């Protein structure tokens, strides 16, 4: 067995690999860019080696730098995690030449399966069902248009070396192919150092289901069941689960057999994933094979009881897999949610900044947290915005979803925008709960984008009750500190006006043993039991014996409450103050309609217009890149450019002015 392993990655996956190494008694080596000095994965490792500037292309993607770190540290093997160099055949070859073991498949299998074009060709030769498309890459936009017409719209443009939703675009006409080709090639080059893009038929109403396979060097290959990965945004998985609520035993077995057949055809070793698209009639087509550990591997681990990282290490060390297909007996259910540094209410634009508060839910039965950051860490513009994964598990799907929803309610993140309310809204959706969804779920469920979730009557009553209880306890604390414990301050009953969404709700709060009795217009009196203290970010308690977790923070004179998809600000006032508050004038925001503002922090890649130029609605104005994703900004109306405030190459802050219209 290896004595020392270098982990060629960062963030949560580097920490996850290191945890298994530590349990196995293997020392670890971290690599880090200048932006990651002092990062969590650096502190977790036994040793750490710097490898370059913040940009991934100059550090984590630089083969020579990582190889030099492995040599310097004396590491016997390298685990690549996912992303970066994990599917780079040249990296695997370079390690082999240096006498260092690559913890993954052979370099030839990485080359063949890591290339989406070549993998499809080999899958067809192996008798695996594949989706119609082109065998070769499109070398320019017009060739892409001709190929798209030959395939028939709609089509999918995909990066040949891609993964993680990068370099992917759906096109439904010639214009969308031309625009998508340019964006996809730029994004592919930026993310993978390979600009090749190919086209294939886009299956309508698809489900994205993948099969986890594992093979050793002795010729033993098994599959570990499927993962349902259809809840996606911009082709990036958001929520995954195992097993799939859509497959039956017959289709599950057929997909598993085809995945194993393909793995054997290319002499595959280690962990790999065969990805399929499945239509409404359960016809399935091979999409691609990921020659690495997947982001969503925890759901497979929880239903099989296997540690995939440990298996990868043991197989790389020459040990047999020690498992037959009959030994694989998945049980229970697991659902994973990816927590991103992004703003769902601003079209999911990336968010950067310092984590001023970061308190993941406490690990418990039925709950797993994979995180790679800590309170005080900086979320950087240079890397993927995923900061953690939360996985709920249980004997069935409902139990797993319930565990996950409770965990998201308790996940405290401050200092950056995040997608916790959005994840909760998806998990609370009735169609999701029933297992009725496709990869279009997010686009169809939130056609105008995510703007928060409306409160149900029960949720509103819960939030009213919590706001009143929080304020009551704050008043009691203030009175105790000031010594004002006479008269009204000493009373056990208070009447308040709770203002939520500009609507006033009269509430009576009565102190009782262990908590409060709260009367609201939304139903009968409720009993709240809690040990919450002012200043605590999480209100934990019970409302009529039902557990509840609400995140609480001060928002001026009010309280910011976060519970599931519900996110609101509550003002708790006396009736006199509430009446006076209605007379206060509202400050109107400044008119910035004539300015193009940067919707996120990022690099201004290009500006497509000049001062004095006339533009039409829909024309491209600028392109911003952040966290490895390109975002095209277009004119929302006809107009003339009056002044440019930024040029290509500038680093922009959120809401920074790029240009002005006349």
């Amino acid at each position: 067995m290896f004595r020392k392993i270098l982990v060629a990655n960062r963030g949560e996956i580097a920490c996850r690999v290191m945890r298994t190494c530590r349990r196995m008694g293997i020392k670890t080596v971290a690599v880090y860019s200048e932006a990651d000095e002092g990062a969590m994965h650096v502190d977790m490792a036994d040793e750490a080696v710097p490898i370059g500037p913040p940009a991934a292309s100059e550090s984590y993607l630089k083969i020579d730098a990582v190889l030099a770190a492995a040599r310097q540290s004396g590491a016997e093997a390298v685990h690549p995690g996912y992303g970066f160099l994990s599917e780079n055949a040249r990296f695997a070859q370079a390690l082999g030449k240096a006498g260092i073991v690559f913890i993954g498949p052979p370099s030839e299998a990485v080359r063949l399966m890591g290339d989406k074009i070549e993998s499809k060709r080999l899958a067809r030769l192996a008798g695996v069902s594949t989706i119609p498309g082109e065998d070769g890459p499109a070398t320019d936009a017009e060739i892409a248009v001709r190929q798209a017409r030959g395939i028939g719209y709609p089509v999918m443009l995909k990066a040949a070396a891609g993964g993680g939703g990068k370099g992917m675009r759906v096109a439904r006409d010639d214009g969308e192919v031309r625009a998508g080709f340019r964006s996809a090639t730029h994004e592919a080059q930026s993310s993978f150092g390979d600009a090749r893009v190919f086209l294939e038929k886009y299956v309508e109403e698809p489900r994205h289901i993948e099969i986890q396979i594992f093979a050793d060097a002795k010729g033993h290959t098994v599959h570990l069941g499927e993962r349902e990965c259809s809840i996606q945004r911009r082709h990036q998985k958001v929520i995954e689960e195992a097993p799939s609520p859509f497959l039956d035993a017959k289709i599950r077995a057929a997909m598993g057999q085809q995945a194993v057949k393909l793995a054997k055809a290319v002499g595959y070793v280690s962990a790999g994933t065969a990805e399929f698209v499945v239509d409404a009639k359960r016809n399935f087509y091979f999409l691609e094979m990921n020659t690495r550990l997947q982001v969503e591997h925890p759901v497979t681990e929880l239903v099989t009881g296997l540690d995939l990282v440990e298996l990868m290490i043991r197989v790389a060390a020459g040990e047999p897999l020690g498992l037959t297909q009959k030994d694989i007996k998945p049980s229970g259910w697991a659902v994973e949610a990816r927590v991103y540094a992004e703003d769902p209410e601003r079209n999911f634009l990336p968010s950067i900044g310092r984590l001023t508060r970061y308190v993941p839910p406490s690990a418990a039965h039925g709950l797993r947290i994979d995180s790679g950051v800590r309170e005080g860490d900086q979320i950087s513009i240079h890397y993927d915005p995923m900061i953690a994964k939360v996985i709920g598990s249980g004997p069935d799907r409902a139990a797993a979803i319930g565990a996950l929803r409770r965990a998201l309610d308790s996940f405290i993140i401050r200092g950056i925008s995040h997608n916790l309310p959005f994840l909760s809204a998806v998990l609370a959706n009735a169609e999701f709960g029933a297992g009725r969804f496709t990869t279009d779920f997010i686009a169809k469920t939130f056609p105008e984008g995510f703007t928060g979730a409306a409160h149900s009557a029960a949720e509103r009553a819960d939030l009213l009750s919590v706001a009143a209880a929080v304020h009551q306890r704050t008043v009691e604390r203030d009175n105790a500190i000031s010594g004002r414990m006479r008269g009204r301050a000493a009373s056990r009953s208070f009447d308040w006006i709770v203002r939520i969404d500009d609507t006033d709700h009269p509430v009576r709060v009565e102190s009782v043993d262990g908590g409060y009795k709260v009367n609201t217009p939304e139903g009968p009196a409720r009993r709240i039991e809690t040990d919450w203290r002012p200043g605590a970010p999480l209100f934990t308690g019970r409302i009529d014996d039902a557990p509840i977790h609400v995140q609480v923070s001060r928002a001026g004179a009010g309280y910011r409450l976060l519970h599931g998809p519900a996110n609101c600000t509550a003002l708790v006032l006396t009736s006199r103050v509430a009446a006076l508050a209605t007379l206060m004038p509202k400050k109107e925001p400044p008119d910035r309609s004539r300015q193009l503002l940067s919707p996120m922090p990022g690099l201004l890649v290009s500006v497509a217009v000049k001062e004095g130029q006339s533009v039409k609605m829909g024309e491209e104005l600028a392109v911003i890149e952040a966290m490895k994703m390109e975002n095209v900004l277009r004119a929302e109306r006809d107009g003339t450019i009056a002044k440019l405030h930024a040029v290509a190459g500038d680093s922009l802050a959120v809401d920074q002015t790029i240009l002005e219209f006349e």
Side-chain angles (χ1 to χ4, degrees), residues 592 595-600 604 606-607 609 611 621-624 633 641 643-648 650 652-653 655-660:
R592 306 190 74 176
Q595 299 174 331
L596 175 67
L597 307 178
S598 177
M600 60 186 169
L604 184 57
S606 63
V607 178
V609 294
E611 292 181 359
L621 300 176
V623 177
I624 297 175
L633 307 184
I641 307 301
K643 186 176 182 180
L644 298 179
H645 289 269
V647 297
D650 284 355
L652 303 177
D655 289 335
Q656 183 174 335
T657 303
I658 300 173
L659 58 83
E660 287 184 50

Side-chain angles (χ1 to χ4, degrees), residues 90 142 184 192 245 300 416 616:
R90 292 190 298 109
E142 294 311 311
F192 313 111
T300 296
I416 61 166
K616 297 292 185 182

